[in-house]
Amino acid sequence: MAAWDPAGKRRRPPRLLWSLLLPLLVGGLAAAGKMKVVEEPNSFGLNNPFLPPSNRLQPKAAPSPISGPEHLFRLAGKCFGYVESTYKYEFCPFYNITQHEQTFRWNAYSGILGIWHEWEIENNTFVGMWMREGDSCEAKNRETKVLLVCGKNNRLAQVSEPSTCVYSLTFETPLVCHPHSLLVYPILPEALQRKWDEVEQLLYDELITKQGYKKRLRELFEEGSLLKSTREKKEDIQLRHLEFESVEKCSKEYKRLSNDLQKLSDLLTQHGIPYEPVL
C-alpha cells in the first residue's frame, strides 16, 4: 500500500528508494577500497615548516669542523632516518641528530639530541662520534654517541637511551668494514705522527706516567682537530667570571681592583722599581 504525505502527494515506496541508493553505496565502498592511506610525518608542533623561524629547532652551537678518516667525509651533507615506536630519528653525520614525534598532536615533540662535537678515541681507534650541546634536559643538555659498525648499506640501525638524556646510536656503513678503516695514527700529518712516536718512547722509557701519556695524546689529538680543545672551555669559564649581574657589583669590583693596583704602585715606588702605569 502506498504512503501519502500531508500535502496529499504520493510518496515513493521505500523499497524503490533503496533500490536506487544501493548501487551508489556499493560503488562508493568499492572506490574507498581502492584508496591508499599515505602516512606522512607529522607537520604540526615544533617541526611545522609554517611556524616562524623563532619557534623551530634552534641549535645552541655550530657543528665542529669535519675531521677524522677522509673516506668518511662522503657522509657529510647526507641524513639517515630511523623510526622506532612513535619517534623518528634523523642522523646527519658531522652535523646533528634530531628526534621527531610522529603523532598528530598539535604540540608534537621535536628536538635536537646533539650537534657534531668530537671523536671518541681509544687504543688508536675512532670508537665513536660525540654529538653534544643538544636541547636542554633538566639541568644538562642532551648528547648522543654514535657507534660506527660494518654493514652492507649506510643506515641508522639502532637507537637507545642508556641514561637520562644521553643517547646511543648505531650506524652501519661499508666505509668501516676494512680492519684499518678507523685507525687514528695513519690519518695524522707526519708532524703529529712524530710527536706521537716521541710520546710512546717517553712512556716506554718510563719518563712519563700513564696519566701524563694520556694527557699528551689528548693535546696531540686536539692539535689535529680530532678532539675539541679543553682550552676553549677554560676561556669560556673565565669570560663568564668577568660578567656581572648588575652595575653596582661591577662598580664595587672596579673599586676593589683600583685599590689593589694603587697598593702595588705604591709598593713599587717605595722600592724604586721602575714600571709603566696602566692607562
Side-chain angles (χ1 to χ4, degrees):
M1 181 176 179
W4 295 81
D5 63 16
K9 295 182 180 180
R10 189 176 182 180
R11 291 179 179 174
R12 187 182 299 275
R15 290 183 178 179
L16 181 59
L17 181 60
W18 277 107
S19 65
L20 293 174
L21 292 176
L22 188 57
L24 296 175
L25 291 172
V26 173
L29 291 173
K34 296 179 181 179
M35 291 175 62
K36 292 184 178 180
V37 179
V38 180
E39 295 183 0
E40 295 184 354
N42 168 39
S43 59
F44 299 96
L46 294 177
N47 56 329
N48 187 346
F50 299 104
L51 290 176
S54 59
N55 292 336
R56 300 180 194 168
L57 299 181
Q58 297 293 327
K60 293 184 177 181
S64 298
I66 298 176
S67 64
E70 289 189 7
H71 57 276
L72 296 181
F73 292 2
R74 68 188 71 178
L75 296 175
K78 299 178 181 178
C79 295
F80 306 89
Y82 177 83
V83 177
E84 182 178 83
S85 185
T86 59
Y87 290 97
K88 179 180 180 181
Y89 300 86
E90 194 167 60
F91 169 50
C92 303
F94 303 107
Y95 190 66
N96 69 14
I97 294 175
T98 57
Q99 181 188 49
H100 306 279
E101 186 178 4
Q102 301 295 283
T103 67
F104 289 94
R105 295 190 302 112
W106 71 271
N107 62 340
Y109 174 78
S110 282
I112 298 175
L113 303 186
I115 299 169
W116 163 237
H117 189 78
E118 64 180 358
W119 287 97
E120 179 171 324
I121 299 174
E122 291 182 7
N123 299 324
N124 189 26
T125 304
F126 291 104
V127 177
M129 304 176 71
W130 272 106
M131 320 291 275
R132 305 188 191 273
E133 298 298 327
D135 289 346
S136 299
C137 179
E138 298 177 353
K140 58 182 180 181
N141 296 327
R142 301 176 192 271
E143 60 181 9
T144 303
K145 180 180 177 179
V146 181
L147 302 175
L148 304 177
V149 299
C150 176
K152 293 182 179 179
N153 302 302
N154 292 325
R155 74 183 190 98
L156 193 55
Q158 188 177 7
V159 178
S160 63
E161 189 176 359
S163 59
T164 305
C165 305
V166 178
Y167 303 83
S168 177
L169 272 66
T170 301
F171 182 72
E172 295 181 355
T173 174
L175 298 175
V176 301
C177 290
H178 191 279
H180 298 159
S181 59
L182 291 176
L183 292 181
V184 179
Y185 187 90
I187 67 108
L188 293 175
E190 291 185 8
L192 291 182
Q193 287 181 351
R194 286 195 297 269
K195 284 187 178 182
W196 195 341
D197 294 339
E198 292 171 1
V199 173
E200 292 288 347
Q201 188 63 45
L202 289 173
L203 180 65
Y204 179 80
D205 294 336
E206 298 183 351
L207 296 177
I208 56 174
T209 63
K210 197 71 175 178
Q211 184 177 358
Y213 170 78
K214 290 182 178 179
K215 181 181 178 181
R216 296 201 180 195
L217 279 189
R218 169 86 197 187
E219 295 173 349
L220 189 150
F221 297 150
E222 288 179 4
E223 187 177 349
S225 300
L226 302 177
L227 299 181
K228 199 76 171 180
S229 175
T230 53
R231 296 174 185 174
E232 296 179 9
K233 295 180 181 179
K234 292 179 180 178
E235 290 174 359
D236 290 342
I237 293 173
Q238 291 173 352
L239 287 174
R240 283 197 294 270
H241 287 169
L242 293 176
E243 295 176 356
F244 300 98
E245 297 177 0
S246 65
V247 176
E248 182 181 359
K249 289 185 177 180
C250 181
S251 298
K252 288 182 178 179
E253 183 65 17
Y254 175 77
K255 290 180 181 179
R256 186 186 69 79
L257 292 174
S258 296
N259 291 334
D260 290 344
L261 185 62
Q262 186 61 47
K263 291 178 181 178
L264 289 173
S265 176
D266 294 342
L267 186 62
L268 292 172
T269 302
Q270 181 181 352
H271 290 83
I273 301 174
Y275 69 94
E276 293 183 6
V278 179
L279 300 178

